[in-house]
Amino acid sequence: MTTISDTADQAQAPAPLTGRPDVNRRRMARLGWAFSAPALIFVAAVTIFPIVYSVIMSLSNVTVTGSGISLNGFTTSNYSLVLKNSTWHYALVFTIVYTFITVAVELVLGTMFALVLQRLTAGRGAMMALLLLPWSMITVINAELWLYIYNGVYGVADAILGDIGLGQPNILGTNLPAIAGLMIADIWKTTPFVAIIVLAGLVMLPGDIYEAAEVDGSSGWSTFWRITVPLLRPTLALAVLFRVLQAFGLFDLPFVMTNGGPGTATTSLAILGYKAMFQNLNFGTGAAVATTTAALVLIGCLISLRAFKVQVGREGN
Amino acid sequence: MARARSHRYARRITRTWQVGALVAVGALTAAGCSSSSSSSGTSATSSSTASVASGTSTAPGNATSGTINWWASPINTSGKDVRQVLISDFEKAYPNIKVTLTSAPTDTDTNRATLATDISGGSATPDVFMGDVIWPAQFGAHQLAVPLSNYLPTSYWTQFAPGLVQGATYQSKVYGSPLFEDQGFLYYRKDLLTKENLPVPTTWEQLQTEAEQLQKAGLVKYGYVWQGASYEGLTCNYMEYLGSAGGTATKADYSTATLDSAASIKAVTFMRSLVTSGVSPAAVTTFQEAQAMSTFASGQAAFLRNWDYAYADSQVAGTPTVGKVGVAPMPTFQGQTAPGYSNIGGWNLYINPHSKNIAADLTFIKFMASTQAQMALVTVSSSIPTVESVRTSPAVIAESPVLATVPKTKLIPRPAGTPNYPQLSTAIYQNVNAALSGSVSPSAAMSAAQSAANTALSSSAGGL
């Protein structure tokens, strides 16, 4: 890919370090650590401490009182309680299925949009702006909009389905339609995001391969499958990584639209953790839900990266 | 040119990878941080639980100076803000006590979560907070509120309407002083009932047949709308049917649930029949107050179950229901004495255990139970007063049809005497909602509710 050397970047590269042989390497290293220390401390405070504390809390008997949160000794009961809970089982399956389906659909639709956008000659900017509207809106507002659309009394979705003879399905009040309804709202919002990432990947594909393919008489379909898709793999992996991370933390859509209902049909892991913590004030159990979810999402990301056979940082050189 | 640009893209994408890795870490943090955001103040705690006992118990509400931070969510949405009216009335009476208002989140759960994390983190503000009537056990058990009965005498508590103080009591200590009450009412379309020569229903069965008749006559699309979504409001609605059917949610000592009783199944079966008969729209299983209210106020339903504000909302200029709405106590089941039960809602005043001004806090709380403050709640925000003498005074009864109905109603609290009430309520509303949507039978739903509720009641360490 590096056919033209990037002179601009090289010119900017800081040369003085290597140019001064008298500089003590270790001193420079110490200086480097000193300069980065504030940032490192900051990262540790806002990232590492919360994660570690959350894990500790999930392994402790936590009591919340007016005089603070106290951790009274080690226990695995939070985890055994969570792992045995049938609502957690359901939420786990629901979250995984939800993530899998929405991410798959978004990937396919997003790639289709990106391919169309790439070929657009006029109005690409305007189209991209339009496409990005759902993505740029706050999810809670999106959820409120869809709540109107799905409303069982005056909602437009019910009216349309009624007009084509499907009756009034009471979308958010019935298990499967409620799940499908959330997925549609999610796909509507995040497909543009996938499209933009894929578009960025498409633009950087080398044109000469396509010219060669054309010369060799490759059909559009086989060019897509044999050239575009393999070359796009790192980009697709990135899009999937982002989306899996986000979809697995599914919270705002069901929080606004269904509160996890009907029954527990749309209860995601995040909703469950939130309820344990902030409704029931069971911080230990809530932390166990959060920790298991984080572990699972990590596994999910590793699996999706493996599926796309990429490692972060290895491509592009 | 195009090649060069695409190359810069490549570099940017590589950078995107690095950013991507950072974002991945960030997302994991987000997953973990929901638990830790609440813990940030752990080290800075433990300042003043002791001060509760030592501080000011000699002066139960007779302080005349100090500052108070009052945490309260909005009470009314139109006209003057009643919270400001109450504060200025108080400051006139006690010029040396300064009150600042912190407007709390309107969502009850967010409100509670914020308070619980602030107070357990050792925050000295707010001093006084307005909290839901279902909080006393949870806040009492977690020491997130001061036991007011340690300071205020029995004579203070007897001035309130029956049942309210009992609802604010946990393990024989009173944690909340009732500020204003709310309860379920049956709203009906006077014009439609007159057209068909029908009386105001006093039983659920009667309500159902009358609604069907009005629907058949083509006068209205839906018969009865209420709150059937999977949330706290459904527990309120369920308690009304349950009480009328002669059932209870738990044993009196909260040792076990009684949600699978015959009365409970009768209640849920009837609720489901409202949906299957078409009296209530199928979408009632997604209705909270706002959806039920808008369906009724747009003229599409003959009956509505809602809280006290619904009357005023149905009389806003331009609403199709102006001048056509009547208010009645909730119906009961056939064979029981009318009226049926109205569930108790409303708000109490609590004191933060870390407050530095408990004496002034008590003065404030006592003032809010005065006739002056209770009348301000009536005239400015049409709230239902909690002090019995104010509640039943002719001036209050003449104020609105809702306030005139209050003395005729029979009240039932939610089973909030356990610190695990949120889990208990979740067990109720999730399963009743599942039965309403038809995915399980009423008896299967209530036996699931029973076992989830028993888990909630038996677990001291907490559950999901």
Side-chain angles (χ1 to χ4, degrees), chain A residues 64-66 68 259 263 279 315, chain B residues 17 109 120 138 142 230 282 354 433:
Chain A
V64 182
T65 67
N259 193 24
Q279 276 186 6
E315 87 310 329
Chain B
W17 269 106
D109 285 335
S120 65
Q138 197 180 27
H142 291 286
S230 183
H354 305 298
N433 180 261

Side-chain angles (χ1 to χ4, degrees), chain B residues 132-149:
Chain B
D132 206 310
V133 292
I134 53 174
W135 294 356
Q138 197 180 27
F139 275 58
H142 291 286
Q143 296 146 36
L144 298 171
V146 168
L148 299 177
S149 50

Side-chain angles (χ1 to χ4, degrees), chain B residues 90-160:
Chain B
F90 174 77
E91 287 182 337
K92 260 178 224 146
Y94 296 91
N96 294 323
I97 302 183
K98 176 94 188 86
V99 181
T100 54
L101 174 71
T102 304
S103 205
T106 47
D107 178 79
T108 305
D109 285 335
T110 315
N111 192 343
R112 166 172 51 198
T114 316
L115 279 171
T117 46
D118 278 6
I119 296 175
S120 65
S123 171
T125 55
D127 297 287
V128 177
F129 58 93
M130 188 176 97
D132 206 310
V133 292
I134 53 174
W135 294 356
Q138 197 180 27
F139 275 58
H142 291 286
Q143 296 146 36
L144 298 171
V146 168
L148 299 177
S149 50
N150 286 2
Y151 300 98
L152 298 168
T154 317
S155 60
Y156 175 79
W157 301 109
T158 49
Q159 64 181 324
F160 295 103

